[in-house]
Amino acid sequence: MCLGVPGRVISIHDYTAVVDFWGVRKDVRLDIVDEPVVPGDYILNHVGFAIRRIAPESVAETLELYEMLLRENAGGEDDLMALDVRGEIAGAS
Amino acid sequence: MTNELQFRDPALARSLAATLARLVDEIGRPVAVMHVCGSHEQAIARFGLRSLFPKALDVIMGPGCPVCVTDVPEVDEGVVLARQGVRIVTFGDMLRVPGTVQSLADAQASGANIEVIYSPRQAIEIARETDEEVVLFATGFETTAVATAAVILDNPPKNFSVLSAHKYIPPVMEIVAEMPGSRVEGFLAAGHAAAITGSAVFEPFVERHQVPVVVAGFEPMDILAGLVELLELIRNKTPRVANMFPRCVSAEGNIPAQKQLWRVFKPVGGKWRGIAHVPNGNLRLRDEFAHVDARKRFTIDLPSLWDYAPPALAGQCICGDIMAGIRNPRDCRLFNRECVPENPVGACMVSNEGTCKIWHLYGGVPDLEATA
């Protein structure tokens, strides 16, 4: 539950961003993000809120862990880390 | 499941492991360090990192699972509210955490209205669709508390309130560092919590206790690199805060989030399950937000639960010692016998971030030679 999940901002309306998580689009709130965000940026989502803008040069390195975790059944059905990541995506609405 | 050792860069992993071994040799005695994050333990167990650690290095999971340290009376408050007919919404991990008599799941089975959410925002959506009283039973460390603060500040519906069991990590590190007989010589701090607080929040702790704190990310390489830095600081006897996760964490942290967090919450002392009374360890709503504070809005008749004796097995549970780093799940006579995720005795077997559940599912210290 402490593991946020990164996603790419598609569009922004007021304090809500549409964010793409590996093809799944969700609303993420921008109330508590650390710095201004524009479409195209990556953010770290935790329970439906962006908690950090990910610097462009860090995006690839950040995504790597998640892509391995989300690879289908990489760790089996009891892979708690993958479950947490999926839960974080479910936290955006 | 198998412990896959697939690293982004296996050569780097081997080199970091060799550096760890050299550092422990140079220190010349067994070294224990502690991390305080369920996600770190998940990564260590999932990627089989303990098989790479030198034998004389003990990497302990401390009180890094917010659900596990939610105290019995806090669970009881949620159970009593649910039995009083209030609709409770909470994170899934909370359902089976034992209370004095019942867990939330038990209350649900006997008819109470309890729903699982993934975000405080979903609690707001549920409240908007009903006239019933909806209480968000809010758990989690500062990373999650900022989200609860944000929904409280965003004009929530009148039938919405919060039962806060949020916890704040820095104060519990003080408790662990001061425990008599503590072997912990350094701390690995959780990257995403530090993204909120900033790495500088640990400076006073290091100053007081003269033990190093290293902020680390969640990639296997992040954790190995964080441990190398931590052991170097221990070997050099130069305790300080080091930020090994700069792509996510700055010294000052997320200022807008901190402002909202501390506008809504105040730190108060309280007991953490199995650990101790932790001064400033609990986050409670400030008086200004009494109108959304379930503890102020409702009379929660806790003593109504307390005429019962606690279940017999609970007395044998050593969750507290495990979270304090004194013992590990293998030392518990209930672990993987009476206590399993389907029928947990202690909170550490309930949460996906609990040491016992993580060890149950991934294994704790894989013996790769035996399985090769």
Side-chain angles (χ1 to χ4, degrees), chain A residues 64-78:
Chain A
E64 212 158 0
L65 171 66
Y66 296 89
E67 294 189 343
M68 184 179 50
L69 289 173
L70 292 172
R71 214 176 288 143
E72 206 177 344
N73 282 331
E77 281 173 19
D78 286 336

Side-chain angles (χ1 to χ4, degrees), chain A residues 32 47-48 52 64 79-80, chain B residues 8 46 119 121 248 254 362:
Chain A
I32 49 176
V47 294
R52 176 143 178 113
E64 212 158 0
D79 188 347
L80 298 176
Chain B
R8 176 155 53 93
R46 185 190 190 286
S119 163
R121 289 169 54 206
C248 198
N254 179 338
Y362 291 122

Side-chain angles (χ1 to χ4, degrees), chain B residues 202-215:
Chain B
F202 301 112
E203 301 280 359
F205 171 83
V206 170
E207 186 65 30
R208 255 194 302 279
H209 299 285
Q210 295 296 304
V211 294
V213 175
V214 173
V215 178

Side-chain angles (χ1 to χ4, degrees), chain B residues 183-203:
Chain B
R183 304 173 292 133
V184 177
E185 295 188 54
F187 286 86
L188 212 55
H192 290 168
I196 303 295
T197 59
S199 58
V201 76
F202 301 112
E203 301 280 359

Side-chain angles (χ1 to χ4, degrees), chain A residues 1-5 16 27-29 31-35 44 46-55 58 61-62 64-66 68-69 71 74-76 78-84 86-88 90-93, chain B residues 1 4 6 8 37 39 42-43 46-47 66 91 93 118-122 125 139-141 143-144 146-147 150-151 154 192 195-196 218-220 222 246-250 254 256-257 260 352-353 357-358 361-362:
Chain A
M1 221 174 99
C2 273
L3 192 67
V5 61
T16 305
D27 284 350
V28 172
R29 292 285 299 181
D31 310 42
I32 49 176
V33 72
D34 59 330
E35 53 185 36
L44 190 69
H46 175 58
V47 294
F49 288 81
I51 57 168
R52 176 143 178 113
R53 175 180 173 269
I54 302 168
S58 302
E61 205 178 346
T62 304
E64 212 158 0
L65 171 66
Y66 296 89
M68 184 179 50
L69 289 173
R71 214 176 288 143
D78 286 336
D79 188 347
L80 298 176
M81 280 191 103
L83 285 173
D84 266 15
R86 290 179 211 281
E88 284 284 16
S93 45
Chain B
M1 66 174 288
E4 57 175 299
Q6 291 171 357
R8 176 155 53 93
C37 175
S39 300
Q42 288 175 358
R46 185 190 190 286
F47 296 101
F91 295 112
D93 266 8
Y118 292 94
S119 163
R121 289 169 54 206
Q122 291 163 343
E125 285 159 21
T139 60
F141 294 128
T143 344
T144 313
V146 292
V151 298
D154 192 29
H192 290 168
I196 303 295
F218 302 97
E219 262 258 344
D222 289 335
R247 67 176 187 266
C248 198
V249 176
S250 62
N254 179 338
Q260 298 205 22
N352 285 353
E353 294 183 279
K357 183 159 181 192
I358 295 170
L361 287 176
Y362 291 122

Side-chain angles (χ1 to χ4, degrees), chain B residues 18 29 55 60 63 92 111 117 119 127 164 183 191 206 214 218 227 232 293 319 331 355 362 367 370:
Chain B
R29 56 184 151 73
K55 281 211 164 53
I60 301 163
I117 44 142
S119 163
S164 173
R183 304 173 292 133
V206 170
V214 173
F218 302 97
L227 288 170
E232 278 179 359
D293 189 342
C319 271
D331 298 326
T355 315
Y362 291 122
D367 183 350

Side-chain angles (χ1 to χ4, degrees), chain B residues 66-80 94 97-104 137 163 165 167 270-275 282 284 295 300 302 305-306 308-311 314 317 319 345-347:
Chain B
V67 166
C68 306
V69 295
T70 300
D71 201 18
V72 175
E74 291 175 308
V75 175
D76 289 349
E77 285 178 305
V79 168
V80 168
M94 278 305 293
V97 177
T100 305
V101 184
Q102 282 193 320
S103 65
L104 289 169
F137 189 5
L163 178 65
K167 313 267 172 206
K271 195 165 172 292
W272 288 31
R273 184 190 291 244
I275 300 284
N282 285 350
R284 294 290 186 260
R295 292 190 177 91
I300 306 177
L302 278 190
L305 276 182
W306 292 349
Y308 302 83
C317 170
C319 271
V345 177

